[in-house]
Amino acid sequence: MRALILSLMLLMLSPALPAKAADPTVDKLLASMTLEEKIGQMMLVAFKGPAMSPELGDMIAKRRIGGVILYSSWGNVENLRQVAALNASIQAEAARLQRGVGLFVGVDQEGGPVNRLRQGVTVFPSQMAVAATGNREHAKAMARILASELSVLGFNLDFSPVADVNSNPDNPIIGIRSFGSDPNVVSRLTAAMVEEFVRLRMICTPKHFPGHGDTNVDSHLGLPRSNHDRKTLERMDFPPFAAAFKAQAPAVMTAHVEVPALEPAKDIPATLSNRVLEGVLRKDMRFDGLIVTDSLGMGALSKGVGTVRASVMAAKAGADVLLFGADIGHEPEDQVKAFDALVAAAKSGELPMARVDRAVARILEVKKRYGILDPAAIPDRSMEIPFQVGNPENLQAALAIAQDSVTLLHDRLKLLPFRSKDRILVVWPQRTPNDPVDMLGLPPGAALLRTDREPSSQDFRNAVEAAGIVDKVVVITYDAARNPAQQGLVRTLLAMKPQGVIHVALGAPYDLSLFPDAPASVATYGDVPVSVQALSAALSGRIPFTGRLPVRLP
């Protein structure tokens, strides 16, 4: 009886699957496709250059790829007009083909540290900054504007939101990309973003299932492992994905993470595990949307089974869309090899045709639902760029999130806000040449000292000399837990001016726990321009500190 009651409760809690009705258009198209066309539909690939190239044209015409992903690192992004023209040319190339199918055109545009488009668009603070506001409407606004602007530029797929619960402060790859360490908060805000993406017909992929939050290895570089048992997974990692599925997320992205509680076989990450994809996702969680892999060129796979073999294993395991990104050491030629390997596996019977047909049917159904099945019918909206992309209203929405997120952990000596007579030094380690330091808006008389990302001995001497003639020192860190030189500089300044140091964690807030003796501690959850602008306003007293930590500090 107890087992029966438990089973009924699980059914009630599971998101109901949408009714599966036969679609004559999809069925007819699927039946007309060759094996090679079906395999192509399962591939979503990266390419090089700012315009349609012969290589990309061949992937569309000869291999009938299902989609593309754009990266600035591979030269796909120069300016907004160019991106819109590129995306339109991709669909036009498909429209020229007999039985041409519209392509997924995707991008990683999360906000915070992961934005492939940065110039001319609205760049949002990180998801952790959104969580620090405690405001679900901010999450909805972020998704709404992301979807709107990307649609105008010709995208139909955003690899967002991050649904991982960042429960490990030492996580080197998720961090502020997550909404935080509380699964309830992460679930609520993930669902809010998914609802808006769905409403505005932008395909989204909550990621990275079954959870990348409690790992200490970057899956771009190696194979991480989550040691959560099944109960912990169901309590901590699964709820945000369940919330996303309830909000009708059309897709989910897998994690290249070993999870022994779900897949006991060694060196088999979730992406390659039938137990995870068909067992947990399809059977247990009753998800019937697209299963999209994280990039198969990432180190977690390329340093193990290899990208080509991983593509076959992922397809066999239950992945529908095989993503090939612009990863270090990965070249477009690998995608051609993967295509050939997938075709050969299907012909040999290693990759069952029933598995291929189910994947392609889902792909075609999503494309029809989101209006991209017929490439000739996809509108070119580039004329709307000046009015709809990066406009003042959207920028103000991003700034409002940033202003509500800036968090004052403590100010024991009432050093903030700055006073007009204060002599101030700001010590800023240069993370990239394009750090938005100009957004800091220093008060009159304040001095700025730039240091190397890993401060040198000369940087130490310069900082000590400059700090000796000011009243207050604002010292900024970026993920100092992995940067001993930054830690040393902060501690040097604290020893020199124990009553006058304001520590600002401009990356992950976990830096705040490194310097408990700092008289004042502030977190911004990232350094996008609006976050730095909001920091300036808070330090000077133009806005109050209203953010709250969405993570537990060590």
Side-chain angles (χ1 to χ4, degrees):
M1 181 60 72
R2 286 178 181 174
L4 177 60
I5 292 172
L6 181 59
S7 298
L8 291 172
M9 289 175 65
L10 287 172
L11 284 172
M12 293 171 66
L13 290 171
S14 299
L17 292 179
K20 291 285 291 182
D23 188 317
T25 303
V26 168
D27 289 347
K28 183 178 179 180
L29 180 56
L30 181 63
S32 71
M33 296 172 77
T34 65
L35 169 62
E36 288 75 12
E37 288 173 325
K38 292 175 181 179
I39 294 298
Q41 280 299 303
M42 295 178 68
M43 297 181 65
L44 198 155
V45 306
F47 60 96
K48 293 188 175 182
M52 176 63 66
S53 64
E55 293 78 14
L56 178 58
D58 279 351
M59 292 299 286
I60 295 172
K62 295 181 180 179
R63 295 175 180 83
R64 303 297 181 97
I65 54 171
V68 296
I69 178 172
L70 272 61
Y71 287 93
S72 54
S73 62
W74 273 15
N76 305 146
V77 178
E78 293 182 341
N79 58 68
L80 299 190
R81 290 284 185 186
Q82 168 266 325
V83 166
L86 170 59
N87 291 344
S89 70
I90 288 169
Q91 302 294 7
E93 189 73 12
R96 294 174 50 235
L97 305 173
Q98 183 181 11
R99 295 196 308 274
V101 176
L103 276 75
F104 294 129
V105 180
V107 68
D108 288 300
Q109 197 75 0
E110 298 173 5
V114 179
N115 289 289
R116 308 306 181 200
L117 309 171
R118 289 187 173 269
Q119 301 299 320
V121 298
T122 303
V123 177
F124 281 91
S126 67
Q127 287 188 192
M128 193 171 285
V130 175
T133 72
N135 188 342
R136 190 175 187 270
E137 292 304 311
H138 279 327
K140 294 180 69 173
M142 180 171 164
R144 180 170 64 250
I145 293 169
L146 283 173
S148 174
E149 293 192 359
L150 290 176
S151 295
V152 169
L153 296 172
F155 294 97
N156 50 48
L157 168 59
D158 188 6
F159 295 104
S160 174
V162 175
D164 300 313
V165 179
N166 200 74
S167 55
N168 187 343
D170 294 326
N171 196 317
I173 189 58
I174 302 302
I176 60 173
R177 297 168 63 194
S178 163
F179 285 119
S181 59
D182 184 334
N184 295 320
V185 172
V186 178
S187 298
R188 184 167 62 94
L189 298 178
T190 296
M193 288 193 69
V194 169
E195 288 168 8
E196 287 299 288
F197 278 130
V198 171
R199 187 176 69 83
L200 291 170
R201 294 169 65 76
M202 173 62 61
I203 301 167
C204 63
T205 63
K207 57 189 183 183
H208 309 79
F209 188 85
H212 207 323
D214 191 6
T215 58
N216 58 12
V217 173
D218 180 352
S219 52
H220 293 87
L221 306 176
L223 180 58
R225 176 186 176 105
S226 170
N227 288 315
H228 286 184
D229 59 24
R230 182 64 185 248
K231 287 184 178 179
T232 304
L233 288 165
E234 292 177 348
R235 174 179 56 83
M236 179 72 71
D237 300 277
F238 291 176
F241 292 98
F245 302 159
K246 188 174 181 180
Q248 301 302 312
V252 66
M253 178 177 280
T254 65
H256 303 332
V257 175
E258 275 191 287
V259 189
L262 303 179
E263 173 55 78
K266 186 174 175 53
D267 296 331
I268 300 296
T271 297
L272 308 182
S273 170
N274 180 268
R275 288 185 175 94
V276 174
L277 304 190
E278 293 287 357
V280 179
L281 263 178
R282 295 293 189 210
K283 183 179 177 183
D284 297 346
M285 301 190 74
R286 305 180 69 206
F287 177 68
D288 198 39
L290 292 177
I291 296 178
V292 182
T293 72
D294 207 344
S295 175
L296 298 172
M298 291 164 59
L301 302 181
S302 65
K303 293 179 180 179
V305 297
T307 297
V308 173
R309 182 58 189 164
S311 66
V312 175
M313 294 174 68
K316 288 171 58 180
D320 303 310
V321 177
L322 308 172
L323 174 62
F324 300 83
D327 301 295
I328 296 173
H330 173 63
E331 293 294 329
E333 291 77 13
D334 296 337
Q335 299 163 176
V336 176
K337 294 176 183 177
F339 175 88
D340 292 341
L342 287 159
V343 171
K347 287 182 176 179
S348 71
E350 180 189 5
L351 175 59
M353 277 307 302
R355 167 83 273 276
V356 173
D357 285 342
R358 283 196 300 273
V360 178
R362 287 193 183 97
I363 291 166
L364 299 178
E365 286 167 1
V366 169
K367 287 184 174 183
K368 182 177 182 184
R369 192 189 327 153
Y370 280 80
I372 55 177
L373 191 61
D374 178 5
I378 298 173
D380 180 352
R381 299 178 58 194
S382 58
M383 294 298 291
E384 301 175 42
I385 291 175
F387 315 104
Q388 300 292 341
V389 181
N391 61 38
E393 182 181 354
N394 293 353
L395 293 172
Q396 183 56 44
L399 179 59
I401 294 172
Q403 289 177 334
D404 288 351
S405 71
V406 182
T407 302
L408 181 64
L409 184 65
H410 60 251
D411 182 10
R412 300 186 184 104
L413 301 180
K414 306 301 179 186
L415 299 179
L416 297 171
F418 295 147
R419 300 169 182 84
S420 58
K421 64 179 182 179
D422 287 340
R423 295 173 300 169
I424 300 162
L425 171 68
V426 177
V427 182
W428 186 308
Q430 182 169 322
R431 189 170 67 91
T432 71
N434 298 318
D435 284 346
V437 66
D438 56 315
M439 292 290 181
L440 193 55
L442 296 175
L448 173 68
L449 175 65
R450 301 300 301 271
T451 74
D452 290 340
R453 184 176 181 275
E454 296 188 6
S456 65
S457 57
Q458 185 60 53
D459 288 328
F460 273 67
R461 288 191 290 270
N462 293 341
V464 169
E465 181 180 352
I469 58 173
V470 299
D471 305 309
K472 299 174 181 177
V473 177
V474 177
V475 59
I476 287 168
T477 63
Y478 289 99
D479 300 330
R482 288 183 284 276
N483 194 319
Q486 281 189 35
Q487 293 181 45
L489 181 56
V490 176
R491 293 192 174 104
T492 297
L493 293 170
L494 279 170
M496 180 183 178
K497 298 188 83 69
Q499 308 297 309
V501 172
I502 300 157
H503 170 226
V504 177
L506 210 58
Y510 305 110
D511 280 7
L512 300 180
S513 65
L514 296 173
F515 314 108
D517 295 334
S521 297
V522 177
T524 65
Y525 314 100
D527 65 345
V528 297
V530 290
S531 293
V532 176
Q533 190 177 346
L535 171 66
S536 174
L539 293 176
S540 63
R542 298 194 304 273
I543 62 171
F545 289 95
T546 56
R548 295 290 181 268
L549 278 175
V551 295
R552 293 181 178 179
L553 295 182

